[in-house]
Amino acid sequence: MQKQVLRTLNFFYYAAMVLAVAMAGLGFWLVSRKGITIDPMGQTGIVLSYIVIFYIIVSVPVALWWHNHQVKKLKGQTDHAVKLGKYKQYGIVRIALTGIGLAASVLLFYLTQQNSMIFCAGIAAVGLYFCKPTEAKLLTDLDDNIPD
């Protein structure tokens, strides 16, 4: 059962990475082939940049904290199958929240050519790295003998 949970979480983790690469490809295609850009000093560019920056600043730490908080609540759970199921759900949410920010910032970088979007992508990529599912992390997170 643990292997299945890890496979599912790894699928979502690598899907988030592939989505970021796809957004880079889409952004490059939109700019180079279609000539679509967004003026970074125009109202649309500023609003989109602020939205992505705010999303990254809020979502990455909140997703990591929320996952940790929810996993700590699982310590008292006696049914191992329920515990693994909830752990999987929490992990998917954490990866999705972080991966969306990474993909959005990569796409917006290509469309606006603003360096701040690369920094946002870097922050989200580091946050996503902390979401990388491993067997050791799963065992540590779900071990009831480890004090909070």
Side-chain angles (χ1 to χ4, degrees):
M1 181 80 172
Q2 289 177 354
K3 297 284 185 196
Q4 182 184 6
V5 169
L6 281 175
R7 268 186 297 221
T8 302
L9 290 176
N10 272 311
F11 170 79
F12 279 94
Y13 177 79
Y14 287 110
M17 294 290 190
V18 168
L19 179 63
V21 172
M23 289 297 109
L26 175 64
F28 181 78
W29 180 76
L30 287 172
V31 170
S32 66
R33 299 277 191 233
K34 297 293 182 183
I36 298 172
T37 59
I38 297 173
D39 178 19
M41 294 300 139
Q43 186 174 1
T44 304
I46 291 171
V47 168
L48 287 175
S49 295
Y50 283 165
I51 289 171
V52 170
I53 290 168
F54 180 75
Y55 181 84
I56 297 288
I57 288 173
V58 171
S59 70
V60 171
V62 166
L64 295 172
W65 170 84
W66 178 82
H67 181 268
N68 186 45
H69 180 73
Q70 293 302 108
V71 167
K72 282 183 180 180
K73 287 181 178 179
L74 293 177
K75 297 271 186 186
Q77 180 65 255
T78 56
D79 187 355
H80 197 64
V82 171
K83 188 186 266 191
L84 283 172
K86 291 210 180 269
Y87 185 82
K88 180 171 72 171
Q89 289 175 349
Y90 302 151
I92 290 170
V93 170
R94 176 178 63 167
I95 291 168
L97 288 173
T98 310
I100 288 168
L102 176 60
S105 58
V106 167
L107 179 62
L108 198 58
F109 165 74
Y110 278 97
L111 295 176
T112 63
Q113 297 294 308
Q114 279 190 306
N115 287 339
S116 61
M117 291 300 108
I118 285 294
F119 294 125
C120 286
I123 292 167
V126 169
L128 193 58
Y129 175 76
F130 286 120
C131 298
K132 172 86 173 99
T134 63
E135 189 170 4
K137 198 182 294 186
L138 183 138
L139 292 173
T140 302
D141 285 345
L142 297 180
D143 188 4
D144 289 335
N145 296 323
I146 297 175
D148 292 334

